[in-house]
């Protein structure tokens, strides 16, 4: 790639993940204009190395996104979240000759339909959690759960904002989950079709792999903390914090896992007529019997992206453009192996349920004075010149340091400087890391029981 190129890059989305993407892309000297729709105040304040930020807070509607990309002759469009991909915007943009980081509708269905993902995995021999699909059939679903001793996970097939998964350990939990989805239609049509999987126990990992349709590149691993409360208790959330790398699961372990998954995955895509150009995010469980895939996502995880992207040394524009144009083999992936990240999510009181908005946020500037701290915005807004909360997930405080212990300590030092009414965060993000690294404790690969059992 010509290093003097001045490219127009378009990022669509408004969360912490998109802020982290914009921040990483902004470092690239290849960018002429970095367009962001619809963004957030953190994205709006991004400083670019060479190019100019074009912040478009009001562009949300699909037709308008496409019209903007066509009119401005975007060289690369990156959809941060799955919603636009599931709606087929990847296809719509490609039909207009645009380069897109993210799959078309068929590929996005791997995330949009858990039933499709389960069947895809079975047909193509991926190491997936064993499961069965049921179409509104309470009786058969119940029988299958019984065959698993009711230790299973009941999943609404369609998209439910992360709320359509019920982990069950006994008959009454199974009955409740099935009633909720099939009888009460709590998730509408998304819950009419369900997948029931065996309940797996172990360490959960977020494995991200770039795919240009033919070639693939393994990205740094991250571990999310999905439950609201410390020690993995409480409600399931979109993710309360992440860290990277993992203290005991090595890059070579991960390369072996990826090498088992990816040829089968790509062959499956070929057979199902999917050209997957974007990032695959496999939710993995490291069990006593080996590694199993729990789910396939077709975009970067949030808050995984915040912990992964700072560890990538390769120019992000070059890397994502190569992914979008089938040229990944030409771009070597370089990772800062000696850099560790710990990312703590700050949420509003009440999240993941109801919460209030509009509380003033202070302390970000002081937090960012700490070495290696970057605060990514998610649910924030500016009201009458003041930065306020505007969502359940408010900020991601990401700390980069030479080792996980330092990253962890600085992350929490930074978080303590940031204030807003009702601010909540987990205090144990990466705590296991500290134990593993500094107390001589090795928790990995030995299965541990889920906390609520
Ligand atoms: P999913 O949306 O399929 O990733 O499920 C959300 C969360 O539910 C995962 O991050 C896991 O914590 C849990 N989960 C999903 N499937 C399983 C499974 N088969 N066994 C144990 N936990 C699971
Ligand atoms: N952190 C989980 C997700 O992005 O789906």
């Amino acid at each position: 790639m010509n290093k003097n190129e001045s490219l127009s890059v378009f990022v669509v989305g408004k969360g912490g993940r998109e802020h982290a993407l914009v921040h990483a892309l902004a470092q690239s000297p290849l960018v002429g204009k970095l367009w962001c729709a619809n963004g957030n105040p953190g994205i709006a304040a991004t400083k670019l190395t060479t190019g100019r930020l074009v912040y478009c807070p009001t562009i949300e509607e699909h037709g308008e996104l496409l019209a903007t990309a066509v009119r401005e002759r975007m060289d690369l469009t990156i959809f941060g979240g799955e919603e636009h991909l599931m709606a087929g915007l990847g296809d719509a943009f490609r039909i207009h000759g645009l380069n897109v980081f993210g799959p078309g509708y068929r590929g996005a269905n791997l995330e949009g339909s858990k039933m499709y993902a389960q069947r895809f995995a079975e047909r193509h021999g991926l190491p997936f959690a064993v499961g069965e699909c049921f179409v509104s059939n309470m009786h058969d679903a119940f029988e299958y759960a019984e065959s698993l001793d009711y230790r299973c996970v009941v999943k609404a097939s369609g998209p439910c904002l992360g709320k359509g998964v019920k982990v069950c350990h006994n008959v009454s939990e199974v009955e409740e989950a099935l009633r909720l989805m099939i009888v009460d239609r709590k998730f509408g049509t998304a819950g009419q079709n369900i997948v029931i999987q065996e309940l797996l126990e172990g360490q959960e990992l977020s494995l991200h792999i770039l795919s240009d349709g033919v070639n693939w590149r393994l990205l740094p691993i991250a571990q999310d903390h999905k439950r609201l409360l410390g020690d993995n208790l409480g409600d399931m959330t979109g993710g309360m914090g992440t860290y990277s790398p993992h203290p005991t699961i090595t890059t070579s372990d991960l390369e072996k896992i990826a090498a088992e998954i990816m040829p089968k995955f790509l062959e499956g895509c070929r057979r199902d007529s999917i050209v997957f150009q974007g990032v695959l995010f496999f939710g993995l469980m490291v069990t006593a019997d080996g590694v199993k895939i729990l789910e396939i996502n077709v975009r970067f995880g949030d808050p995984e992206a915040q912990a992964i992207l700072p560890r990538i040394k390769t120019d992000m524009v070059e890397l994502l453009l190569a992914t979008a144009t089938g040229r990944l083999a030409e771009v070597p992936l370089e990772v800062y192996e000696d850099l560790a990240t710990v990312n703590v999510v700050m949420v509003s009181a009440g999240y993941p349920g109801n919460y209030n908005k509009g509380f003033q946020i202070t302390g970000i500037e002081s937090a960012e004075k700490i070495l290696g701290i970057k605060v990514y915005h998610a649910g924030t807004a500016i009201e009458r010149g003041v930065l306020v909360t505007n969502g359940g997930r408010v900020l991601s405080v990401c700390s980069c340091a030479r080792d996980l212990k330092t990253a962890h300590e600085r992350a929490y030092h930074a978080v303590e400087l940031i204030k807003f009414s009702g601010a909540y965060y987990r205090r144990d993000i990466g705590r296991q890391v500290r134990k593993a690294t500094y107390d001589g404790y090795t928790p990995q690969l030995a299965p541990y029981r889920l906390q609520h059992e």
Side-chain angles (χ1 to χ4, degrees):
M1 171 158 299
N2 177 358
K3 296 281 176 199
N4 298 319
E5 249 174 293
S6 176
L7 304 175
S8 288
V9 179
F10 194 20
V11 179
V12 179
K14 58 182 177 186
R17 163 185 51 207
E18 288 77 12
H19 189 185
L21 274 164
V22 166
H23 181 73
L25 294 162
Q27 319 298 317
S28 171
L30 298 170
V31 176
K33 285 185 189 163
L34 185 53
W35 293 73
C36 301
N38 41 9
N40 62 43
I43 290 177
T46 304
K47 303 266 180 293
L48 275 72
T49 304
T50 52
R52 183 163 72 84
L53 185 82
V54 187
Y55 179 53
C56 318
T58 56
I59 302 186
E60 266 186 282
E61 197 268 317
H62 292 179
E64 216 182 332
L65 288 169
L66 177 58
T68 306
V70 171
R71 186 186 65 237
E72 302 299 333
R73 301 199 173 105
M74 298 294 179
D75 296 291
L76 172 65
T77 299
I78 299 152
F79 291 106
E82 67 279 17
E83 321 79 46
H84 293 105
L85 300 169
M86 287 178 193
L89 277 197
D91 303 301
F93 274 53
R94 286 190 177 95
I95 288 167
H96 285 79
L98 297 162
N99 299 321
V100 180
F101 180 84
Y105 172 78
R106 291 176 67 87
N109 219 18
L110 287 162
E111 176 163 356
S113 165
K114 288 186 189 292
M115 205 162 196
Y116 175 60
Q118 188 78 27
R119 291 186 169 150
F120 178 95
E122 274 164 24
R123 278 187 290 124
H124 305 301
L126 295 183
F128 223 66
V130 172
E132 290 275 345
C133 306
F134 301 92
V135 180
S136 303
N137 189 330
M138 187 84 174
H139 179 263
D140 290 0
F142 192 77
E143 259 189 15
Y144 183 67
E146 190 179 18
S147 76
L148 296 172
D149 265 347
Y150 305 110
R151 296 178 56 74
C152 60
V153 183
V154 180
K155 302 183 176 188
S157 177
C160 301
L161 299 170
K163 292 180 183 158
V165 173
K166 301 288 166 203
V167 178
C168 305
H169 307 86
N170 53 48
V171 61
S172 57
E173 285 175 356
V174 169
E175 275 171 352
E176 195 189 323
L178 291 178
R179 189 171 346 101
L180 201 73
M181 290 182 203
I182 298 179
V183 181
D184 300 348
R185 296 180 167 227
K186 173 88 192 292
F187 305 111
T189 50
Q192 285 304 283
N193 299 340
I194 59 167
V195 175
I196 300 185
Q197 287 179 341
E198 60 179 333
L199 176 64
L200 295 172
E201 292 173 26
Q203 285 279 330
E204 246 187 283
L205 293 179
S206 301
L207 183 76
H208 287 70
I209 299 178
L210 295 175
S211 160
D212 69 0
V214 178
N215 308 289
W216 53 273
R217 293 253 186 262
L218 174 67
L219 296 181
I221 194 73
Q223 186 164 48
D224 193 5
H225 296 64
K226 296 217 167 167
R227 301 263 173 186
L228 181 67
L229 308 176
D231 291 329
N232 295 326
L233 296 169
D235 288 346
M236 206 63 109
T237 70
M240 296 297 293
T242 39
Y243 66 84
S244 177
H246 196 278
T248 57
I249 299 183
T250 63
T251 306
S252 99
D253 292 333
L254 296 163
E255 270 163 1
K256 280 186 211 135
I257 296 168
E260 188 193 343
I261 295 174
M262 284 312 285
K264 292 177 184 160
F265 177 83
L266 290 170
E267 174 59 15
C269 285
R270 198 186 59 74
R271 291 201 195 164
D272 282 23
S273 305
I274 295 169
V275 179
F276 196 101
Q277 294 180 321
V279 64
L280 283 153
F281 155 18
F282 293 102
L284 299 183
M285 189 74 92
V286 181
T287 75
D289 301 328
V291 175
K292 301 267 180 76
I293 304 171
L294 301 180
E295 59 159 349
I296 303 175
N297 299 299
V298 299
R299 35 79 197 178
F300 280 106
D302 185 342
E304 283 87 343
Q306 294 89 313
I308 291 172
L309 297 176
R311 297 198 56 228
I312 300 176
K313 193 170 178 187
T314 308
D315 184 295
M316 278 303 282
V317 172
E318 196 171 5
L319 192 62
L320 302 194
L321 185 57
T323 306
T325 53
R327 293 181 302 98
L328 204 43
E330 294 169 24
V331 180
L333 177 75
E334 284 185 88
V335 170
Y336 292 109
E337 294 295 349
D338 56 352
L339 196 72
T341 52
V342 172
N343 174 52
V344 181
V345 176
M346 298 183 75
V347 301
S348 299
Y351 172 85
N354 298 334
Y355 50 82
N356 292 321
K357 301 181 191 177
F359 299 112
Q360 183 172 3
I361 304 170
T362 60
I364 293 180
E365 242 175 66
S366 316
E368 288 192 330
K369 287 198 179 118
I370 299 172
L371 191 66
I373 294 292
K374 173 73 194 161
V375 180
Y376 297 113
H377 290 231
T380 68
I382 304 227
E383 274 175 17
R384 286 181 232 99
V386 173
L387 185 71
V388 296
T389 63
N390 191 38
R393 301 164 68 72
V394 179
L395 298 168
S396 259
V397 180
C398 184
S399 165
C400 300
R402 288 288 166 219
D403 58 75
L404 282 164
K405 176 174 183 280
T406 315
H408 177 93
E409 281 167 3
R410 289 192 193 143
Y412 279 95
H413 182 188
V415 163
E416 279 154 22
L417 296 174
I418 299 174
K419 310 276 181 218
F420 54 87
S421 173
Y424 171 75
Y425 54 90
R426 262 178 72 161
R427 291 167 196 277
D428 62 345
I429 304 303
R431 190 177 69 187
Q432 187 185 50
V433 172
R434 296 201 56 176
K435 276 191 178 164
T437 323
Y438 302 100
D439 302 347
Y441 166 65
T442 307
Q444 306 315 321
L445 300 167
Y448 68 97
R449 296 178 73 75
L450 294 175
Q451 286 294 329
H452 49 268
E453 284 176 353

